[in-house]
Amino acid sequence: MSAALLLGACVDVHVADYKRPDTPAKTSWSDKTGTLVSPAATIEPDWWKTFQDPYLNTLIDKAIGGNFDIKVLAARIDVAHAEIAEANAGALPSADLGAGANFQKVTSQPFSKQYNLAGQVNWDIDIWGKVEKGVQAQTAEFHATEADWRAGYLELVSNVATTYFQILQFDDQIVAQQKMVDENKQILAIYDGLSRNGLIPQTQVIRQQAEINRLTKDLMDLRRSRKVANNALCTLIGVPAGEFEVPAGHLQQRVQLPPVPAGLPAQLLSRRPDIVAAEFRVLEAYKLVGEAKLAQLPTISLTGHGGTASFALSDLLKSFTFGLMPSIDIPLLDPSVRAHVKTTEAQSGVAEQQYRQTVMGAFEEVETALVNLDAHRQQRVELLQEVQRLRLVADQIEAQLHEGVVSQLEVFETERTLLQAQLDVLANHQEILADTVLLYKALGGGWPAVDVEAQTQAKQ
């Protein structure tokens, strides 16, 4: 035992206390409008209900219950939980029981037979806590898989919402595109009459026919895109593509633009599931380094065995033999053990860099979402003013038509310009909705903050 203690003193088994990897500091976002609000009051867990669309709520409920990506992530949580028990089993005794018979015939000797029954109990005593380090590492991985599930949940809800918004936008665009086709056909009829009377060249008629061909092609493409988006939504909610269809609707009527609080605190990133998962995997790497270092120390085992043997099966249980054998295994020279320590230390460095990479990516996602949201809101003001003014022009042109001042062609041209501006407002509406979804997703989507270090200290 003294030799074991001497060896332990010569081996580096120190593992630094866990500390969250340092990252560049960020106290606030570039959007500093408004009073700073608390993280708890910023994003509700069911934030998608702020869009005030009951049908969207129903789609998200279906997706949460039926999406197979989420089910895979949930199954991985079960696997990680089971692996905790598997890791913990390394500190428990193991027992074996065996029975056998030996029949033998030697020339000039009588036939012999022997029966035996034996059992053995082996216990590798975890005096250094190596197994406990492995259990802690697997527990951290279990929490990381839980965070993976939350990240997948957030990704799913975001994808359902944005896909649904796209489908409704396609519906409005299809209606508008069909109207443009119809109006251009009316313009073609006017051009055709003018050409027959020799007032315009035939090339203008042909050019208008080509314009109708282009608009019709675009209409077909919108209908195709609508079906493709609907197929994607089917997969998201867990039904075969083509087995479900979103009823036609109008985006701006169904989905309201939700208010997003100003003065968002940077601490909201502690809610992001992918950051939480990355930090838990740093903790896991720390624990694996500790397990690898402790593997350099001697191991102590207790082996107990007992059994019986008899030439007659009826006498098998009449006598027993027992034994107890303690042993110590001192790893004097095992290059693989030292190499494994180096490997785990290097993997710990990778986990730390991946955590920093995740945090930096989160900073970019939030800032980009805020920039896009602010720009699209400002553009909306201009677009609404443009539509309002073009509508006034359209009303005046319509009045002038009745007075015989302008031609029907000018009316159609004015209506076409107004319709395009209305489509721009529609696209802007969808962009703001998508920006809002991406912002909620980037900020963690209402999940509670997780303090990995506090959880670690609580378990120690």
Side-chain angles (χ1 to χ4, degrees):
M1 178 61 71
S2 60
L5 295 175
L6 180 61
L7 178 63
C10 299
V11 175
D12 177 22
V13 294
H14 173 72
V15 180
D17 293 335
Y18 172 75
K19 183 180 180 182
R20 177 184 298 152
D22 60 292
T23 56
K26 189 171 182 64
T27 57
S28 63
W29 306 108
S30 57
D31 179 17
K32 297 180 181 179
T33 58
T35 304
L36 189 68
V37 295
S38 68
T42 303
I43 301 177
E44 297 295 330
D46 50 355
W47 50 266
W48 56 87
K49 291 184 179 179
T50 60
F51 293 114
Q52 301 180 37
D53 185 352
Y55 192 80
L56 173 61
N57 301 340
T58 301
L59 287 176
I60 290 176
D61 288 341
K62 288 182 179 179
I64 292 171
N67 182 265
F68 287 95
D69 290 335
I70 286 293
K71 291 180 179 180
V72 169
L73 292 172
R76 288 176 180 168
I77 295 176
D78 293 337
V79 172
H81 187 267
E83 287 176 342
I84 294 176
E86 182 180 351
N88 198 43
L92 302 176
S94 61
D96 298 308
L97 179 65
N102 181 27
F103 303 101
Q104 186 173 3
K105 178 67 174 72
V106 180
T107 304
S108 301
Q109 296 293 329
F111 180 78
S112 65
K113 52 187 176 179
Q114 185 179 34
Y115 304 94
N116 60 76
L117 179 66
Q120 178 173 295
V121 177
N122 186 72
W123 182 22
D124 292 332
I125 304 175
D126 187 31
I127 60 174
W128 312 112
K130 182 184 74 171
V131 173
E132 178 60 23
K133 289 291 185 184
V135 171
Q136 291 173 354
Q138 189 54 50
T139 301
E141 175 60 24
F142 167 71
H143 288 308
T145 58
E146 286 183 318
D148 288 340
W149 181 88
R150 291 182 176 187
Y153 177 103
L154 186 54
E155 180 77 17
L156 172 63
V157 171
S158 302
N159 288 341
V160 169
T162 53
T163 304
Y164 173 64
F165 299 156
Q166 287 176 345
I167 290 173
L168 294 184
Q169 183 185 8
F170 284 138
D171 286 337
D172 284 326
Q173 288 176 325
I174 288 170
V175 171
Q177 190 72 13
Q178 183 64 63
K179 184 177 179 181
M180 291 180 70
V181 170
D182 294 340
E183 288 184 351
N184 275 271
K185 287 181 178 179
Q186 291 178 307
I187 293 174
L188 175 63
I190 294 174
Y191 280 168
D192 188 58
L194 294 174
S195 176
R196 290 176 184 275
N197 293 323
L199 299 177
I200 61 172
Q202 182 66 22
T203 53
Q204 195 162 345
V205 175
I206 298 174
R207 186 179 295 111
Q208 182 64 23
Q209 290 173 334
E211 176 67 9
I212 293 173
N213 293 142
R214 184 187 67 82
L215 293 172
T216 303
K217 184 269 295 180
D218 291 344
L219 177 61
M220 293 177 179
D221 195 53
L222 286 171
R223 288 171 176 162
R224 177 197 62 79
S225 297
R226 207 267 190 196
K227 291 180 181 179
V228 170
N230 192 87
N231 288 341
L233 185 63
C234 287
T235 301
L236 288 172
I237 65 176
V239 301
E243 295 296 317
F244 170 84
E245 185 171 358
V246 175
H250 299 287
L251 179 63
Q252 298 180 84
Q253 294 177 9
R254 278 197 186 180
V255 189
Q256 304 303 311
L257 296 177
V260 177
L264 294 169
Q267 291 81 0
L268 279 173
L269 284 187
S270 62
R271 299 167 177 260
R272 275 183 63 127
D274 58 339
I275 292 180
V276 172
E279 188 177 354
F280 268 118
R281 290 192 166 98
V282 174
L283 171 61
E284 178 187 9
Y286 268 65
K287 299 302 182 182
L288 290 176
V289 170
E291 181 186 31
K293 286 189 172 183
L294 291 175
Q296 301 173 101
L297 297 177
T299 57
I300 297 176
S301 301
L302 290 177
T303 301
H305 57 86
T308 179
S310 173
F311 292 105
L313 188 60
S314 58
D315 297 332
L316 184 61
L317 301 179
K318 291 183 178 181
S319 63
F320 293 90
T321 59
F322 300 93
L324 179 64
M325 183 179 67
S327 63
I328 181 169
D329 181 17
I330 303 175
L332 293 178
L333 180 62
D334 189 345
S336 64
V337 174
R338 297 291 179 90
H340 186 56
V341 172
K342 297 295 184 182
T343 299
T344 55
E345 288 176 337
Q347 290 172 339
S348 176
V350 172
E352 290 182 355
Q353 297 304 331
Q354 287 176 333
Y355 171 79
R356 294 186 179 99
Q357 181 186 46
T358 303
V359 171
M360 295 299 289
F363 288 156
E364 180 185 355
E365 287 180 13
V366 175
E367 285 287 358
T368 300
L370 288 171
V371 168
N372 289 337
L373 187 57
D374 181 62
H376 289 145
R377 281 177 167 175
Q378 292 183 35
Q379 290 172 1
R380 183 172 184 81
V381 175
E382 302 297 328
L383 288 170
L384 290 175
Q385 290 179 358
E386 179 186 1
V387 168
Q388 182 181 11
R389 288 163 180 163
L390 288 175
R391 186 174 287 116
L392 289 174
V393 172
D395 292 341
Q396 292 176 8
I397 293 295
E398 185 71 26
Q400 291 174 1
L401 174 67
H402 295 309
E403 296 174 1
V405 178
V406 298
S407 67
Q408 185 66 50
L409 283 174
E410 292 181 77
V411 173
F412 285 145
E413 185 62 35
T414 303
E415 289 180 349
R416 183 164 56 183
T417 304
L418 173 61
L419 184 59
Q420 184 57 55
Q422 291 172 335
L423 285 175
D424 291 340
V425 172
L426 171 66
N428 176 265
H429 190 89
Q430 192 274 337
E431 287 171 339
I432 294 176
L433 292 175
D435 293 338
T436 305
V437 170
L438 292 177
L439 179 60
Y440 284 151
K441 176 186 172 184
L443 290 172
W447 287 110
V450 176
D451 191 332
V452 173
E453 186 174 5
Q455 287 196 8
T456 305
Q457 294 172 349
K459 291 181 178 295
Q460 291 176 343

